[in-house]
Amino acid sequence: MRARDKAAVNALRTTLAALDNAEAVPVDEAEMRGLALEQSPVGVGVTEAARRELSECDVADIVRAEATERLEAAAQLTAPAHGDRVAQLRAEAAVLLRFLDGHGTP
C-alpha cells in the first residue's frame, strides 16, 4: 500500500464501500414518505438508526462477490484495446482473493 499500489487501493476502497452499504439499515417505504412537520420527531439523535453488524461469513461473501465481479468484467473485455483494464481488474481481484485466503494484507 505504501508503494501506492493502485490496484490494491481501488479494490479495497470499493470493497469497503460495499461493506458499508451492506451494513446500512433498509429504509421502510412509510419512512420515505415522511410525516407532516408537526408530527416529525425532534431532538438530538432521533433520526439515527443502528447499523447492521455483518458476520465474518457475510464479509467474506461480499469480498468474494467483489472479486468475482471483477473477474467476470475482465472476461467480458475481449478487445485488445482493453488489455490494460483487464490487467487492472484481474490485479484487483487478486488483491481481494488474498484477503480471503487468510494471508492478511497484500
Side-chain angles (χ1 to χ4, degrees):
M1 214 54 117
R2 196 167 276 193
R4 302 210 190 270
D5 183 2
K6 288 186 179 185
V9 170
N10 287 339
L12 295 175
R13 184 176 290 140
T14 57
T15 303
L16 287 172
L19 290 168
D20 195 39
N21 288 340
E23 290 176 337
V25 178
V27 178
D28 192 17
E29 193 172 316
E31 291 176 23
M32 290 178 61
R33 279 181 277 162
L35 301 169
L37 184 60
E38 61 273 4
Q39 295 174 336
S40 60
V42 178
V44 176
V46 295
T47 59
E48 296 294 320
R51 296 186 61 82
R52 290 189 288 168
E53 288 192 31
L54 300 175
S55 69
E56 189 173 328
C57 184
D58 293 335
V59 171
D61 288 343
I62 292 169
V63 172
R64 189 173 295 106
E66 289 288 315
T68 302
E69 182 178 312
R70 284 166 174 75
L71 291 173
E72 288 173 355
Q76 291 177 359
L77 296 173
T78 57
H82 297 296
D84 291 341
R85 180 67 179 143
V86 169
Q88 180 183 0
L89 288 169
R90 288 187 178 148
E92 289 178 12
V95 167
L96 296 175
L97 292 173
R98 277 195 303 240
F99 278 99
L100 291 176
D101 291 339
H103 291 97
T105 58

